[in-house]
Amino acid sequence: MRKTILVSLHIIFLSFICIPAFAQRQMDRPYWYTLERGKLFFRSGNYGEALIAFVEARDQRRAMYTRMEQDLITLLSIPEVRRMGDSLELIEPYIAERGHIDAAAALAELYYRLPRESFRDSAQAALEAIGRYKEFPDAEYWIGEAYRVEGELGIALRQYEKAYAQRILLETPGFDLEILYKIVDIHRLRQEYTAMEERLLEILKRDTLWSQDSSSFVRTAMMRTLENEGVGRFLTLYRYNNQDVERAHRLLGLYYHALGRDNRGVEHLLFAFLIQNSIMVEEILRTQFDFSFSTLDLLMEQTPRRPVLLSYIEEVEYYKTIYYLGTSLNGSGKLPPARELWAFLSRRGAAAGEWGTRAAAQLRSPFLERAVEMP
């Protein structure tokens, strides 16, 4: 009786989390469980055990789908099945009638992952698809994380690259962006700036406002507004909240400024600056519906009583972004908006830290400052 109850509970558990019952034998720990166990080790600082678990999870998944692939190959090699051609519609009834449980399980797992219609009635397409699922990019990423925290940056980079190459199989939508940023960080640490630039530009392909055919016109209009009507008018007219690309624009802007390519630096730092302020305005509007942006100073008056904004300002290097946007503008021959930004920083006093001090020096006597280090 006790054994029957335990088995019933196990079946209910598997059904509840939507994992196909055939995916693992009752007493096996599935690959996803092993991966989550590794994450627990990782977050507790037990990196050695975490790495072992991540590798085991990858190997478990590979073994599982390799077995299923072989089950389908075995079925499709039967002479009767071969005479049916490549039609799943003909093969599936044969599987049911003859009791080919393993092949049925393999197809059921595949249909759990992908719509049946996507195979266009092709058994060969189904076989190729299940073979691809032997890869486990989530595990590859976490293996990279374990090596990164141990200082093995070269191995970590290879793992991130492998995970990104397999991104179509990632379990979490959008996680490939985080992997790209991890690749960027490794290149920065290794001072591989050309490779860093390439990856940042790849991230910006996701920025519709930047990558559209009309983007050049939009950037020109934004710059004209900033130069002719000032920072306040610019931030009143324009809003852009694509937080996914803010960091890419900021790093590229700082990188181009360090290279002395101020025109390109301005474009990216301006986008980062716009996104940062748009996010802050949206955060204020969540609780203060009648808020209306007018000046940066009034916007900053809202920050002391909102810890989330103070944290965000630090996270995105808000004052640093403004300072180098000003120096890039000055380097591109656009001194008036640069002085306006520096004046704002100088008024922020201790809140802006070193960037307020440096901005005050620029106001006294503007000079073309080159960054002493890469971003």
Side-chain angles (χ1 to χ4, degrees), residues 245-297:
V245 300
E246 181 276 329
R247 186 166 174 245
H249 279 300
R250 173 162 38 100
L251 290 176
L252 276 172
L254 295 173
Y255 173 65
Y256 291 136
H257 172 73
L259 294 179
R261 298 163 66 182
D262 288 312
N263 286 329
R264 295 201 66 181
V266 165
E267 289 183 334
H268 290 288
L269 288 170
L270 188 63
F271 262 62
F273 176 63
L274 176 60
I275 294 168
Q276 291 170 4
N277 285 282
S278 297
I279 295 297
M280 288 194 285
V281 169
E282 287 184 359
E283 175 60 29
I284 295 169
L285 286 170
R286 286 196 319 109
T287 55
Q288 186 177 331
F289 304 111
D290 61 345
F291 175 77
S292 177
F293 177 87
S294 55
T295 67
L296 281 176
D297 294 288

Side-chain angles (χ1 to χ4, degrees), residues 166-280:
Q166 301 168 4
R167 60 190 178 275
I168 193 172
L169 300 177
L170 284 166
E171 301 285 344
T172 306
F175 189 58
D176 56 327
L177 180 64
E178 183 171 339
I179 297 173
L180 269 178
Y181 273 120
K182 285 296 176 80
I183 293 171
V184 166
D185 288 337
I186 296 292
H187 285 312
R188 288 177 66 202
L189 288 170
R190 288 159 60 99
Q191 299 182 0
E192 298 165 348
Y193 296 116
T194 301
M196 178 196 76
E197 178 190 14
E198 290 173 357
R199 287 305 192 177
L200 288 171
L201 290 172
E202 185 171 352
I203 290 172
L204 291 188
K205 291 177 182 177
R206 303 160 185 258
D207 186 346
T208 54
L209 185 58
W210 183 266
S211 59
Q212 288 174 348
D213 292 338
S214 60
S215 61
S216 178
F217 171 79
V218 172
R219 292 199 295 273
T220 300
M222 289 167 60
M223 183 56 62
R224 187 181 299 115
T225 301
L226 180 68
E227 189 173 3
N228 296 335
E229 302 183 54
V231 175
R233 183 63 175 165
F234 167 76
L235 291 176
T236 300
L237 287 178
Y238 297 101
R239 287 284 181 275
Y240 189 46
N241 65 354
N242 190 345
Q243 197 163 355
D244 287 344
V245 300
E246 181 276 329
R247 186 166 174 245
H249 279 300
R250 173 162 38 100
L251 290 176
L252 276 172
L254 295 173
Y255 173 65
Y256 291 136
H257 172 73
L259 294 179
R261 298 163 66 182
D262 288 312
N263 286 329
R264 295 201 66 181
V266 165
E267 289 183 334
H268 290 288
L269 288 170
L270 188 63
F271 262 62
F273 176 63
L274 176 60
I275 294 168
Q276 291 170 4
N277 285 282
S278 297
I279 295 297
M280 288 194 285

Side-chain angles (χ1 to χ4, degrees), residues 257 262 323-324 327 330 358 362 367-372:
H257 172 73
D262 288 312
Y323 178 78
Y324 281 117
T327 57
N330 184 34
R358 293 167 72 168
Q362 288 278 14
F367 57 94
L368 297 179
E369 178 182 358
R370 292 285 171 248
V372 295

Side-chain angles (χ1 to χ4, degrees), residues 10-11 13-26 30-32 64-65 68 104-113:
H10 185 73
I11 293 171
F13 175 72
L14 288 179
S15 301
F16 178 76
I17 58 175
C18 302
I19 299 297
F22 53 80
Q24 297 285 339
R25 294 192 303 275
Q26 180 179 322
Y31 66 84
W32 55 262
M64 170 182 163
Y65 282 100
M68 290 183 174
L107 285 178
E109 168 68 11
L110 192 57
Y111 297 159
Y112 170 74
R113 297 284 178 183

